[in-house]
Amino acid sequence: MFRAALWPALLCVLLYASGLGSGFIYDDETLLVDSTRLVTATPKLAFTSDFWGLSPRAWRSLHYRPLAMLSYSGVYRLFGISPFAFHSANILFHAAATASFYWLLLALGYSMGVSMAAALLFAAHPLHVESVEWMSGMTETQVGALILGSLACFAYGRRSWSLLLAAAAMLTKEAALILPALIFVLALMYCSEQRKWPKWRAATLAAIPYAVLAAIYLALRAAILPRPPKGALWKVLREAWPAIPGSAAYYLKAVFWPWPLSINYELPGISMRLVMLMVVGLWIVAMLNLPSLRDDLALAGALIVLPLVIPVLTSPLMVHWLQAQDRYAYLATSGACLIVAVLLSRLPYHGLFMGCLFLVSMGALGVFLQLYAWESNETLWTHTLEITPNSKPAALNLAYTMYVESRFTEAEVVYRKALRYHPNDPEIMRSLIGMRTHHPIPDPNDANSK
């Protein structure tokens, strides 16, 4: 039964094997190629500095991720600057997350069929392409594997191992700060006590050690990283808060309907936000009125919503054109895969098998169709412009990629198309004129905070 986890893990490897030959893309070059800081990081540097190595002025993008830094450094020290090696490590983390998800569901009492179907759906979910194929997304697959592994150990009663994996997850990425809430939900739903108050008390006591770990992590982060200027955080939130409902609507849509995919999206308008709000309302109504699905809907809802809390609430701090990113919903897809598997299991005539076969095939097709976009900077930004033709950053990045390869005619075509959407934009005009007059054009990402 436990060895069966190898099947969804193997599916992860097979799906992404064709992307092993892709090169460094976008932030990969900043992280791994242009600077040796990350890949040669020592434990001392990892535990006493920001992930990106940015100046204190870039306070919105400072991250405390020592284990993530050491993971990149470990791959480099073993294999050098090898895209194949970094891609392989990323795929293995995704496979580990998928296996851990399968073990978690088994521990929670789900049948082997439902657990396997959910894990296979998770392995083939197209929304994971950004996390698995982009080497900078390795933090997502790594923290996803650690979080799901911690939850699985907790469900099996291995509390010491669960706490160890939880600590590792928090030192990998801030997304793991939701672990105390997830542990509380699991303990509350699957606690053996029957009376209400003992269950709440037991769930609270179970979550306290994880909350202590989160507090220690936040204290370390506050001691190592500089604080934002006084009033700066509230200023950003006050000006950019509309990104919060927009990004929430995008993520809720994407975990169930992951298409079309890109690195850059227009945030959903009011109509999509209302539709997603109605979906949430219907979910709650179903949870209250369908006793046979109540626990499944509650657990799936927690697995969807809790991992999205941090990326949604911090979306105003992101670069304005990257306020919703597929990789931030990596863990949230587990909830969608679980409820789909549960619903398929209720269908007659081998509905679970047939439905899973169809959806996994469609997911695999979606993954295959997206892999080409991550082969190079040119394919990435060309694909992005196909999805969002008015994306100024995508146009600037694509044109710059062509410019550094001395493909000036093609770059000018991209700039001219961008001016149709952004007439007289000073940044586009400056780059176009600079290219025509043979002046150096700055990398458009130099001005982007990470």
Side-chain angles (χ1 to χ4, degrees):
M1 187 165 60
F2 288 96
R3 292 180 181 177
L6 291 174
W7 293 111
L10 180 60
L11 177 61
C12 295
V13 176
L14 293 176
L15 282 176
Y16 289 95
S18 62
L20 289 170
S22 300
F24 296 107
I25 299 174
Y26 189 33
D27 282 344
D28 298 339
E29 297 173 349
T30 303
L31 272 174
L32 309 173
V33 181
D34 296 340
S35 171
T36 62
R37 174 184 174 275
L38 182 66
V39 294
T40 60
T42 62
K44 180 180 179 181
L45 178 67
F47 280 90
T48 59
S49 66
D50 160 59
F51 179 75
W52 286 93
L54 299 176
S55 69
R57 290 182 299 176
W59 60 270
R60 291 190 295 177
S61 301
L62 298 180
H63 304 300
Y64 187 61
R65 302 171 180 175
L67 286 192
M69 290 180 67
L70 293 177
S71 296
Y72 283 107
S73 177
V75 174
Y76 168 75
R77 292 178 189 278
L78 288 173
F79 305 103
I81 292 293
S82 166
F84 181 90
F86 284 105
H87 278 307
S88 298
N90 211 357
I91 293 171
L92 291 178
F93 278 128
H94 180 43
T98 302
S100 297
F101 182 44
Y102 171 77
W103 289 325
L104 170 63
L105 296 182
L106 281 182
L108 295 180
Y110 286 96
S111 68
M112 187 176 178
V114 169
S115 301
M116 180 60 68
L120 290 171
L121 290 169
F122 184 82
H125 202 297
L127 203 65
H128 296 164
V129 172
E130 181 176 303
S131 300
V132 183
E133 189 63 14
W134 191 11
M135 284 170 271
S136 296
M138 194 168 78
T139 55
E140 304 297 337
T141 55
Q142 184 179 357
V143 78
L146 291 169
I147 290 174
L148 290 170
S150 177
L151 294 176
C153 287
F154 175 83
Y156 279 110
R158 305 291 181 88
R159 302 299 171 88
S160 297
W161 280 103
S162 178
L163 285 168
L164 180 62
L165 291 175
M170 292 177 191
L171 291 173
T172 298
K173 191 168 185 183
E174 299 78 3
L177 290 172
I178 53 100
L179 260 170
L182 286 172
I183 292 293
F184 178 84
V185 170
L186 290 188
L188 183 65
M189 293 182 63
Y190 298 96
C191 187
S192 59
E193 286 86 352
Q194 298 299 315
R195 292 179 296 164
K196 179 178 180 181
W197 290 113
K199 289 185 66 173
W200 281 88
R201 184 166 62 245
T204 302
L205 291 174
I208 285 176
Y210 300 85
V212 171
L213 287 178
I216 293 173
Y217 166 81
L218 290 173
L220 279 173
R221 189 183 193 281
I224 300 299
L225 302 185
R227 297 181 180 180
K230 186 177 181 180
L233 179 60
W234 293 112
K235 180 181 178 181
V236 171
L237 293 176
R238 186 170 60 250
E239 293 175 352
W241 70 265
I244 293 177
S247 61
Y250 168 75
Y251 288 128
L252 290 177
K253 187 273 295 185
V255 295
F256 288 103
W257 186 260
W259 202 266
L261 299 176
S262 171
I263 194 175
N264 174 210
Y265 301 98
E266 292 279 334
L267 289 182
I270 186 65
S271 58
M272 178 59 72
R273 298 181 192 186
L274 290 175
V275 170
M276 290 300 104
L277 190 60
M278 291 175 59
V279 169
V280 172
L282 291 173
W283 190 290
I284 294 173
V285 169
M287 192 167 62
L288 295 176
N289 293 278
L290 297 175
S292 63
L293 286 173
R294 184 170 299 155
D295 288 347
D296 302 317
L297 288 168
L299 178 60
L303 288 173
I304 293 171
V305 173
L306 291 177
L308 293 177
V309 168
I310 293 177
V312 167
L313 293 182
T314 58
S315 58
L317 302 177
M318 300 297 296
V319 179
H320 71 278
W321 61 281
L322 284 177
Q323 290 175 322
Q325 299 183 60
D326 295 343
R327 58 196 179 111
Y328 292 157
Y330 179 81
L331 189 60
T333 57
S334 63
C337 294
L338 170 60
I339 197 61
V340 169
V342 168
L343 293 176
L344 290 176
S345 70
R346 305 296 180 96
L347 297 177
Y349 305 111
H350 307 290
L352 177 61
F353 175 78
M354 299 302 296
C356 179
L357 181 63
F358 173 75
L359 291 177
V360 169
S361 299
M362 294 300 295
L365 177 62
V367 169
F368 176 76
L369 292 176
Q370 288 296 308
L371 286 178
Y372 87 93
W374 295 90
E375 291 177 356
S376 65
N377 280 320
E378 182 173 351
T379 56
L380 174 65
W381 298 118
T382 299
H383 174 73
T384 302
L385 285 174
E386 292 172 356
I387 304 300
T388 51
N390 62 339
S391 173
K392 172 183 164 184
L396 288 172
N397 276 282
L398 177 59
Y400 181 77
T401 298
M402 295 173 171
Y403 163 78
V404 296
E405 295 177 356
S406 300
R407 296 159 57 189
F408 304 123
T409 302
E410 294 173 81
E412 180 162 348
V413 171
V414 175
Y415 283 131
R416 286 185 172 279
K417 288 183 178 179
L419 286 171
R420 297 176 188 173
Y421 294 98
H422 308 278
N424 301 317
D425 181 271
E427 191 173 5
I428 300 175
M429 291 295 297
R430 185 165 56 249
S431 297
L432 178 58
I433 293 172
M435 184 180 68
R436 287 175 173 174
T437 56
H438 305 289
H439 284 78
I441 298 176
D443 186 338
N445 297 309
D446 289 343
N448 292 342
S449 66
K450 299 299 181 186

